[in-house]
Structures are given as C-alpha cells and as structure tokens.
Amino acid sequence: RGRALRRVAKDDFAKLIQHQAAVDRTRSDFIRSYATALTSDLTRLKDVLPGRETGSILDLVRNASGRYDRIMAAFTVVSRLQSGHAQLESKAIQFSALVGQAKARTGSSAAAKNVTLKVSPDITLTSPEPNWLSYVLTSLLDNAIAYSRPGGAVEVSATSGPTASVTVTDHGAGIPPDKLSQLFQPFYKAEGALTFTHEGMGFSLFLDRLVMHYLGGEIRAESKPEQGTAITLSFPGV
C-alpha cells in the first residue's frame, strides 16, 4: 500500500510539472504574440506622426509612444529569457560603444533635466550577448537620470578582468536602507528622500536582474539617502 501511495504521489508530481511547463509555454507565447502585435502598431503610429511639429496632443502621443516602446522592449526580453545561463560564445565590445547605445536611448530625458553623463575609462569588455548588456545599461541609465536632480551628473565606469563590471552612479535622493533590499523585486518602486515621479511599472530592475543571471552575472546596489545610488553589473570577463 505504501509503494502504491508513493507511486500515485510520484505520478501526481509529474503531472504537476507538466502542467506548470504548459502554463509557462502559454504565458511566453502570449507575451511574444502581444509584444509583436503592439510593436507593429507602434511602428505605424510613429510613421504617421509629424517629425518636428509640437503641440500638447502631439507631445502627449510621442511621450506615450516612447513609454510603450520601453514596455515592449521589456516584453521582448521576457519572451526570450530561458532558465539557466546563456551558452553563447563571448563577443568583444568597446565600453564607449556600449555607453553610446544607452546614451542614444536616454538622451532626451537627460537633456530635459540637464543631466550630464561622465564616462571612464574606454576599455574592451566581453559578453555572450552585448545587446542584452546594452539593454540593462540603458535601463540603469534611465533610472539614474530619473533619480538625479536637475543639473546633476551620472557617472558610468567599468573594469575588465576575469570578472568584469559596469557601475552606474547617480547623486540624487538615494534609497532608504530599509527599502534597498526590495529594490529588485517585481513591480516595486523605491521612494527616495525626495518625491519620486519617474513613470514606470517598477519592473525594470527585476528584469535587469533576470537578464544578468541569464548572462551568468549579477547585479547589486549601494545607496545612501541624500547622497545617491550606485548599481553595479558584474559578469564573466576576459
């Protein structure tokens, strides 16, 4: 009877695993299909928007379009993530090129707050998927600009070696110690010492951590109220 009960329990557990796998596949297919459809709609919308004209309605549509672009980028990454680490050959990329890609995507928000970007040094980094590393760096830079005070500065630095690293530092409001441990939880937005008005779903840092784990790396944060926040990516280097 004991063996029969164990056999039934084992069968039930196997069915549970199969069911969970089916749910995961369905969720991934759902995200992928809707991300594709919405991205197509956004592309057509931007094609019909005037290039230089301004106005309250046009600015509203452009801002909304940019916001949806960021959401779709996140969905695209989620749809591609698999369990485990990336099993790809590492590729070299110049740090200046990596920052340049992130700067191009965040330049308008930096200009709006008159935030300057300081970068050093220009070294060669390696990553299994430089595009994903660029995605995470863009996310961190976007957050750093949002937390920065008008006229402030964001510093981006890197080190190479067996374990490479990239650090993004802002000098904004900082994050209280009791909230720092929750920073990488999904849908969490830390309120700093100053009012935080950055638009978003509180999902970017959670997704950044998933991407870094997939690349065999880590992400960590250090922060002091009223002094700023530094977020460091570490990943297999040369």
Side-chain angles (χ1 to χ4, degrees):
R1 182 179 179 183
R3 286 195 298 270
L5 288 174
R6 285 193 294 272
R7 185 167 56 253
V8 170
K10 184 177 180 180
D11 290 342
D12 288 343
F13 184 66
K15 291 178 181 178
L16 179 61
I17 291 177
Q18 292 175 356
H19 173 73
Q20 185 61 50
V23 170
D24 289 342
R25 286 194 301 271
T26 301
R27 181 170 54 241
S28 295
D29 290 343
F30 174 82
I31 292 174
R32 186 182 302 108
S33 62
Y34 271 84
T36 300
L38 288 173
T39 299
S40 177
D41 289 343
L42 283 170
T43 300
R44 288 196 296 269
L45 174 62
K46 286 185 287 188
D47 286 342
V48 301
L49 282 176
R52 297 184 179 179
E53 292 182 27
T54 60
S56 58
I57 296 179
L58 285 176
D59 290 341
L60 178 63
V61 173
R62 287 195 186 96
N63 290 337
S65 176
R67 195 153 55 244
Y68 280 117
D69 270 342
R70 291 191 291 272
I71 294 173
M72 288 305 100
F75 278 168
T76 300
V77 171
V78 169
S79 70
R80 290 185 57 201
L81 282 176
Q82 303 291 334
S83 60
H85 301 321
Q87 301 296 323
L88 300 172
E89 183 179 352
S90 292
K91 302 174 184 177
I93 182 172
Q94 286 299 120
F95 181 52
S96 58
L98 194 67
V99 175
Q101 294 168 2
K103 186 177 180 180
R105 299 177 186 129
T106 58
S108 58
S109 57
K113 295 185 68 173
N114 193 29
V115 172
T116 58
L117 182 63
K118 300 179 179 179
V119 183
S120 64
D122 187 13
I123 58 177
T124 300
L125 300 173
T126 60
S127 172
E129 291 211 28
N131 287 339
W132 282 26
L133 192 58
S134 174
Y135 171 88
V136 175
L137 181 57
T138 300
S139 170
L140 298 187
L141 191 56
D142 187 48
N143 283 334
I145 292 169
Y147 274 105
S148 294
R149 297 177 176 86
V154 173
E155 299 161 4
V156 187
S157 60
T159 63
S160 59
T163 300
S165 69
V166 173
T167 300
V168 178
T169 305
D170 69 67
H171 300 280
I175 301 170
D178 61 324
K179 295 182 178 180
L180 192 60
S181 62
Q182 305 175 60
L183 192 61
F184 298 102
Q185 297 301 312
F187 309 112
Y188 180 80
K189 292 173 68 173
E191 300 292 336
L194 301 177
T195 302
F196 182 41
T197 58
H198 180 45
E199 294 179 341
M201 300 184 297
F203 190 66
S204 62
L205 287 175
F206 170 73
L207 183 54
D208 293 341
R209 184 177 66 173
L210 289 181
V211 172
M212 292 310 299
H213 285 178
Y214 178 79
L215 296 177
E218 297 288 343
I219 182 171
R220 66 180 187 275
E222 298 178 358
S223 185
K224 294 182 179 179
E226 297 295 342
Q227 295 185 36
T229 303
I231 297 185
T232 298
L233 312 174
S234 58
F235 48 95
V238 179

